Amino acid sequence: MAASMILMFGGESKVVLYTAIALVGYGNSNIFSMAFSEALLSVPDKQNEVSGLMIMGLFGGTIFPLVMGFMSDAMGQAGAVAVMAVGVIYLFTYIPQVKH
């Protein structure tokens, strides 16, 4: 996902940008499943609550496109990519905290 952010900031051709978009989708799909399984394993007696929180997180993800749209209007497409980059930076800070 970090590579996709770099490609989106610097990419000029359609091939590079489509590759970056594919990397975002691939990275997000992997992160969600890993975070969900770790959450379920950490508190197995509260699976319903964990499932509810994860779905609330998905709903919270609907806010990012709105903010991306505002930033895109204000700064161009680089503003929208910057919003996504903030999410990627958060994930890099989250990964070391995951207990195996």
Side-chain angles (χ1 to χ4, degrees):
M1 287 175 46
S4 70
M5 295 299 112
I6 292 168
L7 290 173
M8 281 190 200
F9 272 122
E12 296 287 329
S13 72
K14 285 184 180 181
V15 172
V16 171
L17 293 173
Y18 287 153
T19 302
I21 291 167
L23 288 173
V24 166
Y26 182 69
N28 280 336
S29 66
N30 286 323
I31 290 292
F32 179 80
S33 62
M34 288 187 291
F36 187 61
S37 66
E38 287 293 327
L40 287 176
L41 290 173
S42 68
V43 282
D45 56 323
K46 298 195 183 270
Q47 290 184 353
N48 287 337
E49 290 86 347
V50 169
S51 295
L53 284 172
M54 293 300 287
I55 296 304
M56 284 175 55
L58 283 175
F59 177 74
T62 61
I63 295 170
F64 270 90
L66 178 65
V67 175
M68 288 169 58
F70 289 139
M71 293 298 288
S72 175
D73 290 343
M75 301 174 52
Q77 292 303 312
V81 175
V83 172
M84 288 189 291
V86 168
V88 172
I89 292 168
Y90 167 74
L91 290 174
F92 276 121
T93 61
Y94 171 75
I95 289 168
Q97 297 174 9
V98 175
K99 297 179 177 110
H100 298 288

